[in-house]
Amino acid sequence: MKKTVQELAVLLGGTVIGKGDAVIEDVKGLAEAGLQDITFAVDPYTEYLPQVHAGAVIVEKEVPAGDNTLVVVENPRLAFSQLLVLFHPRQSVTPGIHPTAIIDGSASIGEDVAIMPYAVIGKNVEIGKGSTIYPYVFLGDNVKIGEGSVLYPGAVIHENCVLGKNAVIRAHAVIGGEGFGFATEKGKHTRIPQIGNVTLGDDVEIGACTCLDNATLGSTKVGRGTKIDNLVHLGHNVEIGEDCFLIAQTGIAGSTKAGNHVIFAGQTGCTGHITIGDNAVFAGKSGITGNVKGNQVYAGFPIRPHMEWSRTQVYLKHLPEMAKTVKALQKKIAELEKKLEQQ
């Protein structure tokens, strides 16, 4: 594909500063971009633009850029993602049902659905129009899949779970596995039946090998627009709000409720039965042990406000020196006390 910078700017709703007639053939990262490529830069990386020689650079404001043509847009990252889709469209899938797929006669399949080899579709399943079911996907009884959804190879959706429109379920994710609930008496563990389900809002994405347990009763819930990375675990009856980010290896114990726009960075661990406010942000490896107010950034284990944690980390670096100082002071105090005793 070839497009001029001006054509791309019109597509993105941006303004060209420089050579609008330059021809672009591909989309590249800032370090790899050449004269036929378009890339993007946001602060603080814009300071390196004079060293870059790309066909065009997407930015959010005019900055010193050497010999680069600029395309100024409101959101460079979003614009860059649009160009990735334009220049590198995803593999198209032809609608139809492969003869090796096993589909119960009671299932309802919408228009333009693709069901690939060896998928297994249970009783009373509903699959919305335009959805794609890749090989070896399992859909349990009474599962509902919203239109435009994509389920990648090996994904498992257990019985009674509900996925909204445009759901993306990556390879080998498990939605609705039985929640981890046991009653313990005299050291022996007896399973408590987990008879609920999992519900996902529209535009939710679930990463590879991520596991969302079903509820004991009711539903484990993920709100509209939330994106969950690979290798994340949500326990039974967890509720995650809208437009949240859950990054790899995050684990959230049962019955915790998180508000909207919450970010859990990688390897965050969260105890159960707590409430987390809107817009809370947790740095990587945070340990959440109690209720959390929203609109603040947290870090550490147990978590504390990020600035407080940062100051503590600075002191920790000086602990060996401080220990020596304390020992020296203790020695001097002991000497002074001895002198006072001798007087």
Side-chain angles (χ1 to χ4, degrees):
M1 180 182 293
K2 294 182 180 181
K3 295 282 186 181
T4 66
V5 174
Q6 183 60 46
E7 288 174 328
L8 295 177
V10 170
L11 176 68
L12 301 173
T15 303
V16 177
I17 300 175
K19 301 175 182 178
D21 59 350
V23 176
I24 301 299
E25 298 182 3
D26 202 354
V27 184
K28 296 282 182 66
L30 192 61
E32 298 83 21
L35 293 177
Q36 282 73 50
D37 305 317
I38 188 168
T39 185
F40 85 106
V42 295
D43 291 339
Y45 302 104
T46 52
E47 66 181 84
Y48 300 109
L49 286 184
Q51 304 168 36
V52 174
H53 302 285
V57 182
I58 303 168
V59 293
E60 61 183 348
K61 60 186 177 183
E62 185 174 358
V63 293
D67 58 4
N68 293 290
T69 293
L70 300 180
V71 179
V72 182
V73 299
E74 186 174 339
N75 188 331
R77 283 191 174 89
L78 178 59
F80 190 69
S81 70
Q82 291 173 314
L83 293 187
L84 285 171
V85 173
L86 177 66
F87 281 89
H88 298 277
R90 292 189 183 277
Q91 173 187 348
S92 60
V93 176
T94 303
I97 299 174
H98 194 274
T100 63
I102 300 173
I103 303 175
D104 189 88
S106 61
S108 173
I109 312 298
E111 298 177 357
D112 300 321
V113 168
I115 300 180
M116 298 188 191
Y118 306 107
V120 177
I121 313 297
K123 298 176 183 177
N124 303 313
V125 169
E126 297 178 13
I127 302 177
K129 66 179 181 180
S131 294
T132 300
I133 310 299
Y134 275 86
Y136 299 102
V137 168
F138 172 81
L139 303 181
D141 295 347
N142 307 311
V143 163
K144 293 180 174 57
I145 307 294
E147 63 183 57
S149 296
V150 180
L151 280 64
Y152 284 93
V156 174
I157 316 297
H158 284 283
E159 62 274 7
N160 304 316
C161 291
V162 179
L163 279 60
K165 297 178 182 178
N166 305 314
V168 176
I169 311 299
R170 300 286 177 189
H172 301 289
V174 179
I175 311 298
E178 189 164 6
F180 195 73
F182 295 85
T184 302
E185 184 176 3
K186 296 179 180 179
K188 294 184 177 181
H189 311 302
T190 302
R191 173 168 285 282
I192 299 171
Q194 311 284 296
I195 61 174
N197 71 345
V198 174
T199 65
L200 308 183
D202 296 343
D203 304 309
V204 168
E205 181 166 334
I206 306 297
C209 298
T210 281
C211 297
L212 277 56
D213 289 352
N214 70 352
T216 306
L217 298 167
S219 299
T220 299
K221 300 177 182 179
V222 178
R224 180 204 55 77
T226 285
K227 313 300 182 185
I228 300 181
D229 197 2
N230 305 331
L231 299 169
V232 170
H233 179 215
L234 302 188
H236 59 79
N237 294 93
V238 166
E239 296 183 16
I240 304 295
E242 297 183 352
D243 295 309
C244 296
F245 271 135
L246 283 72
I247 315 303
Q249 299 181 18
T250 288
I252 301 181
S255 298
T256 285
K257 294 177 172 57
N260 301 324
H261 306 282
V262 177
I263 298 175
F264 299 87
Q267 296 187 336
T268 292
C270 181
T271 190
H273 299 273
I274 65 169
T275 300
I276 297 169
D278 295 345
N279 305 304
V281 177
F282 302 101
K285 296 188 177 182
S286 291
I288 307 168
T289 57
N291 293 332
V292 179
K293 295 180 180 179
N295 302 302
Q296 194 164 171
V297 180
Y298 299 91
F301 182 85
I303 59 162
R304 63 196 75 182
H306 189 269
M307 289 303 297
E308 179 184 332
W309 175 83
S310 296
R311 288 193 294 268
T312 302
Q313 294 304 112
V314 171
Y315 285 124
L316 286 174
K317 290 180 181 179
H318 296 290
L319 278 180
E321 300 170 22
M322 294 170 67
K324 289 180 182 179
T325 301
V326 170
K327 287 180 180 178
L329 290 172
Q330 288 176 328
K331 184 177 180 181
K332 288 182 178 179
I333 291 171
E335 290 173 352
L336 289 171
E337 289 177 340
K338 188 175 180 179
K339 289 180 179 179
L340 288 173
E341 290 174 357
Q342 292 174 348
Q343 289 180 356

